[in-house]
Every structure is written in structure tokens, then in C-alpha cells.
Amino acid sequence: MTRILPGILAMAAIVVASNILVQFVIGDWLTWGAFTYPFAFLVTDVMNRVYGAAPARRIVLAGFVVGVVCSLIAAGFDKTTLRIAIASGTGFLTAQLLDVAIFDMLRKARWWVAPLASTLVGSAVDTALFFGIAFSAALPADINTGWANEAVPLLGFGPVTMLWVSLATADWLVKLTLALLALVPFHIIVRNLLRRNQEI
């Protein structure tokens, strides 16, 4: 457990930061949380590469518990935000566990294949689950379904769709960009951790 403690602490810090930063809007389509949350995939993938799938799943579960606690505190057990808390937890847990499974299947491929493929799939699933559960009018209406289902051009210039679809698209594009950029720190961190483990 001691060896994965840095991963658990990093995951907890990312989840807490993202829960706070999601309240601060950037432009029309994003929050600052969109720029911190994708690093959860980096933590999961580094731990998976260095220590294996089982420890990576433990780190995901620790992040999930922290996320649930943060969501309940933020929601104050208010029914109007409970749906968002459920969406957040469902998206996080499903996407991160999927990331671990895909990474493990692709472990023997070239060094960049597993982290990139698992993060791309995990990010897409996380985005679809979170925004679909939190805001879609296909589910029972709440305080968030009114504004989120307003018809607007996609990202301000595309075909007309629901506002939440634009929010999800912008969020997913950030995740894709960060998935590519994260390959550099992934490679450096993994190389250093593996070298350190060999020296111990």
C-alpha cells in the first residue's frame, strides 16, 4: 500500500481540485475543472504501467470515495444537485475502470499505445455518462435540465443542438488535447519510477 500512496494522494488532489474548479467558468463552454480532471487518467495509467492493474484499480476506488465525499459536501444533500453528483461518480468510476482494463490489454504494445488508447476511450465514456446523466432531458427533469437543454449552435457556430451537448463537446476536446500532451510526462514519470524500483 505504501508504494501506491503517492498515486492515491495525487488522485485525491486531482478529484478535490476538479470539484472546486468546476465552479469557475472559462468562456461559454468550459470550466477550470476541465483542465484538471483529465490528469486523473495520467495518474491511473502511470500506476498501471509501474505497479499493474490491481493497484491502479485501488487508486481509482480511492479517487471515487474522495469524489463521492466532495460531491455530497458540495450538494449538501440537496436533491437539485444530487443528479450531478450521481453523474460525476458514475462517469468517474466507469471511465477509470475502463481505462485500467484497456491499458492492461494493450500493455505489451508500444509504450504510448496503452495510455493514449485507454485515455481516449475512458474520456469519451466519462464525458458521455456525466453530461448525459447530469443534463439530458431524456431523464426525469430537474432544475438543470431547463437551461442545459436550451437550443444553441454547437460551440457557438455549428448545427443547432442542446447546450449540454456543446458543453460536453468542449470538455471532450480538452480531454483529447490533454491526453496527447500527457504522453510526455507519462513517459518521463514511468521511466523514473521503473528505474527507482530497480535500484531498490
Side-chain angles (χ1 to χ4, degrees), residues 42 46 50 184-194:
L42 174 63
V46 166
V50 176
V184 174
F186 170 84
H187 192 55
I188 293 169
I189 294 167
V190 165
R191 187 179 58 199
N192 289 336
L193 285 175
L194 289 174

Side-chain angles (χ1 to χ4, degrees), residues 143-160:
I143 196 169
N144 296 304
T145 51
W147 65 266
N149 285 276
E150 176 187 341
V152 298
L154 182 65
L155 297 177
F157 59 86
V160 174

Side-chain angles (χ1 to χ4, degrees), residues 56-77:
R57 279 191 288 272
R58 285 197 288 276
I59 289 166
V60 167
L61 292 175
F64 175 72
V65 170
V66 170
V68 168
V69 170
C70 285
S71 294
L72 290 175
I73 291 170
F77 300 95

Side-chain angles (χ1 to χ4, degrees), residues 41-106:
F41 289 100
L42 174 63
V43 172
T44 303
D45 291 346
V46 166
M47 294 294 108
N48 199 341
R49 173 65 78 196
V50 176
Y51 300 114
R57 279 191 288 272
R58 285 197 288 276
I59 289 166
V60 167
L61 292 175
F64 175 72
V65 170
V66 170
V68 168
V69 170
C70 285
S71 294
L72 290 175
I73 291 170
F77 300 95
D78 181 0
K79 290 181 182 176
T80 60
T81 51
L82 182 60
R83 180 167 159 176
I84 292 176
I86 291 169
S88 179
T90 302
F92 176 86
L93 189 60
T94 305
Q96 291 290 327
L97 291 177
L98 186 59
D99 178 274
V100 172
I102 292 170
F103 188 105
D104 201 43
M105 284 190 305
L106 299 173

Side-chain angles (χ1 to χ4, degrees), residues 19-39:
N19 271 275
I20 294 168
L21 293 173
V22 75
Q23 301 169 66
F24 300 98
V25 178
I26 306 170
D28 294 327
W29 315 113
L30 290 169
T31 69
W32 281 107
F35 294 91
T36 54
Y37 172 73
F39 288 101

